[in-house]
Amino acid sequence: MNAPVEGFSKFSKEEKIRWIAQNYTSYPEQAEQLLKRYWNTDAAVQKIHDEFIENTISNYYLPFAIAPNFLINGEYYAIPMTIEESSVVAAASKAAKFWLSRGGFKTEVLGTEKVGQVHFMFKGDTSKLSRFFSEIKQDLIKDTSGITRSMEKRGGGITNIELRDKTDAIDNYYQLHCTFETLDAMGANFINSCLEQLAKTLKEKASAHSDFTQEEKAVEIVMSILSNYVPKCTVKAEVSCPVEALNEDGMSPQDFAKKMVQAVQIAKAEPYRAVTHNKGIMNGIDAVVLATGNDFRAIEAGIHAFAAKGGTYSSLTHASIEDGIFKFWIEVPLALGTVGGLTSLHPLVKLAMEILQNPTAKQLMQIIAVAGLAQNFAALRSLVTTGIQKGHMKMHLLNILNKMGASDSEKKELVHFFKERTVSNAAAKEALQNLRS
Ligand code: HMG
């Protein structure tokens, strides 16, 4: 049990399964069967999954759902969502339906600039480095032409390279801070290839630069890598309507609008609340990012850095009431791709893209920002009216009943029983016991 292993990566899939089952599980036979039960019956589909990552032994399924009725800039969308948490898709759908009759969502891409940096050490005179950089800037760009040619033909490429003096933070530390336009590609490989070439040219040119001392010639490249912080690759999504149109059961439209604005103000002022508030937004954003095969870790890291750009972690959404109009909006950075990566490999991602009418990266930015805004609207709407548990637990009921081993007919009866009652673990247990006795 719990043994180390040599050469695991070279084992066949069967060998890997046997090894993990025998060494790390109490019921090896059942573990093997379970892992194989999740294999796709279509060998070609399974092979694609096997090759996405390394040491694959099975598939880990997440539900793929649809939130319909989104009206975005006058066009109808049904949005694919991949997520494990109950009530998220229902909440998005409910928010979409709410805004469908109130003008829908309006969106605007504010920028598409991607960033990458070559981090290097230079021991010497900063003004000489600056002059050297100005002299070689064109060579830096020229030497990447083999990598940038196709991207440039499509209208993208390297948009700028700047020398940044970071010696305030770390002795001898400088950067080539580079910006890129990568169009419909997320661009990580393109950017990293460009950066590695820029680093190579920088080092070569420095070592031959006649104005440098020996120490200055020995530029030390530390690393070359894109940044997932993209504060100029942002999108805005917005909904608005007259306050009177916000009819809510048991609350006047004015009180509802005021509470929604207060809820956003609290998330702006209070980091403990902001994190949960933004988590609710990420329920929507991550689910569409995953369904469309994009990199949710990159998106998460970039968005949370953006939420803290003012020095304090704060709300990603905003709300106002002006001249009787309630306005609710989000501004988020989203570096996405609609070509390359999983988008051309994963059959369900391809279908998700088709359902979204094969969007460009800019269109996908707008759709995903809307999913985040809708999610936040739905969560805040529940929080300031009924409380979150009523709707959330109603959606969670089937999970609770499944955990308790309820049969299909019991589930049917209990879903009906809880239609007008608040669900909790204890209430579900009691109701199931009553039903059985
Ligand atoms: P409801 O009023 O009971 O729903 O809301 P309804 O039965 O009246 O149906 C209205 C519409 O809701 C439906 O229209 C659907 O669009 C949707 P229809 O399809 O009938 O024309 N809907 C559903 N869609 C799919 N499957 C369903 C379903 N039921 C309703 N079964 C609801 C129920 C859960 C939607 C509502 O209470 C809600 O929006 N709650 C918020 C839930 C939420 O935010 N969940 C996220 C998880 S909680 C969390 O992690 C984040 C949080 O902490 C963030 C924060 O603090 O800010 C809350």
Side-chain angles (χ1 to χ4, degrees):
M1 270 300 227
N2 296 15
V5 60
E6 181 69 32
F8 185 73
S9 64
K10 319 278 184 312
F11 288 8
S12 69
K13 192 167 158 185
E14 287 280 353
E15 287 166 339
K16 283 174 183 150
I17 288 179
R18 201 159 311 123
W19 182 86
I20 194 72
Q22 283 175 0
N23 288 284
Y24 282 85
T25 73
S26 323
Y27 302 99
E29 251 175 64
Q30 282 97 319
E32 280 196 34
Q33 278 166 16
L34 180 63
L35 288 166
K36 290 179 183 175
R37 189 142 33 97
Y38 277 83
W39 285 0
N40 199 293
T41 47
D42 181 335
V45 172
Q46 186 53 53
K47 192 166 182 317
I48 296 174
H49 283 73
D50 285 348
E51 292 174 0
F52 282 150
I53 60 167
E54 308 76 38
N55 292 345
T56 309
I57 54 175
S58 191
N59 304 311
Y60 183 101
Y61 295 152
L62 285 177
F64 180 90
I66 295 292
N69 295 326
F70 278 90
L71 180 62
I72 307 176
N73 301 331
E75 301 263 339
Y76 294 106
Y77 288 88
I79 300 188
M81 300 180 86
T82 294
I83 190 160
E84 86 300 343
E85 187 175 2
S86 48
S87 87
V88 168
V89 177
S93 310
K94 188 171 170 179
K97 196 172 163 186
F98 182 91
W99 287 105
L100 187 61
S101 54
R102 292 167 178 82
F105 296 80
K106 306 278 184 298
T107 60
E108 185 190 353
V109 172
L110 305 174
T112 56
E113 182 183 281
K114 313 274 172 68
V115 176
Q117 296 165 322
V118 176
H119 305 269
F120 68 96
M121 299 293 169
F122 171 81
K123 273 193 207 154
D125 183 343
T126 304
S127 57
K128 272 162 80 179
L129 179 66
S130 244
R131 278 200 302 277
F132 162 72
F133 171 70
S134 305
E135 276 173 35
I136 67 154
K137 192 168 171 182
Q138 285 319 312
D139 292 324
L140 287 169
I141 292 174
K142 196 173 85 222
D143 284 3
T144 60
S145 61
I147 307 164
T148 56
R149 197 168 297 125
S150 313
M151 189 65 89
E152 278 173 4
K153 263 192 210 145
R154 292 193 292 269
I158 300 174
T159 50
N160 196 19
I161 308 177
E162 242 176 62
L163 173 70
R164 290 198 175 174
D165 179 349
K166 305 296 284 185
T167 52
D168 276 0
I170 300 174
D171 285 347
N172 309 320
Y173 170 36
Y174 295 84
Q175 294 171 351
L176 293 184
H177 183 93
C178 313
T179 52
F180 300 84
E181 172 54 68
T182 61
L183 306 165
D184 288 332
M186 193 261 190
N189 287 330
F190 170 75
I191 293 173
N192 289 335
S193 300
C194 289
L195 293 171
E196 288 183 8
Q197 180 56 53
L198 293 173
K200 201 169 157 217
T201 305
L202 174 75
K203 197 168 167 54
E204 277 169 13
K205 296 277 175 198
S207 68
H209 190 57
S210 55
D211 202 25
F212 278 170
T213 63
Q214 280 313 314
E215 199 167 40
E216 287 168 338
K217 282 181 179 175
V219 162
E220 186 194 338
I221 305 294
V222 180
M223 58 190 164
S224 311
I225 189 74
L226 95 163
S227 172
N228 291 126
Y229 185 44
V230 280
K232 291 186 182 164
C233 183
T234 50
V235 55
K236 182 177 176 186
E238 178 186 308
V239 284
S240 66
C241 70
V243 168
E244 300 85 69
L246 294 168
N247 48 314
E248 227 10 79
D249 281 352
M251 196 183 275
S252 74
Q254 289 73 17
D255 281 350
F256 175 68
K258 193 179 86 191
K259 279 198 162 194
M260 289 291 282
V261 171
Q262 285 169 338
V264 173
Q265 280 170 343
I266 291 169
K268 284 186 182 217
E270 165 54 56
Y272 278 93
R273 174 55 201 149
V275 171
T276 317
H277 178 94
N278 290 349
K279 183 276 182 195
I281 294 169
M282 298 316 290
N283 278 340
I285 291 183
D286 280 341
V288 191
V289 167
L290 265 175
T292 56
N294 275 279
D295 181 344
F296 63 91
R297 289 84 54 210
I299 296 295
E300 283 275 348
I303 287 185
H304 294 301
F306 187 78
K309 69 181 190 309
T312 310
Y313 190 88
S314 185
S315 169
L316 292 162
T317 52
H318 313 270
S320 67
I321 303 168
E322 271 172 38
D323 301 329
I325 301 292
F326 170 77
K327 205 166 106 180
F328 186 60
W329 71 102
I330 189 169
E331 217 179 288
V332 269
L334 283 168
L336 300 166
T338 52
V339 296
L342 274 200
T343 54
S344 49
L345 283 174
H346 197 303
L348 274 177
V349 168
K350 281 195 217 167
L351 181 65
M353 289 298 189
E354 194 191 331
I355 291 170
L356 290 175
Q357 299 154 45
N358 292 317
T360 61
K362 276 186 173 177
Q363 286 164 337
L364 188 59
M365 285 168 81
Q366 297 170 70
I367 293 165
I368 292 180
V370 163
L373 184 68
Q375 210 66 52
N376 189 228
F377 180 80
L380 294 187
R381 185 182 183 191
S382 287
L383 286 167
V384 303
T385 56
T386 59
I388 198 72
Q389 286 306 83
K390 186 168 183 264
H392 179 61
M393 292 306 276
K394 184 171 141 191
M395 300 298 122
H396 195 49
L397 178 60
L398 285 181
N399 289 333
I400 298 174
L401 295 175
N402 281 336
K403 220 163 33 184
M404 291 174 181
S407 67
D408 283 349
S409 65
E410 286 171 338
K411 283 193 267 187
K412 202 167 162 198
E413 281 215 33
L414 290 172
V415 165
H416 182 70
F417 175 80
F418 277 107
K419 253 201 154 67
E420 299 304 328
R421 294 175 172 83
T422 302
V423 177
S424 69
N425 276 300
K429 193 170 169 194
E430 191 184 327
L432 183 61
Q433 273 164 359
N434 287 344
L435 186 66
R436 284 177 176 172
S437 61

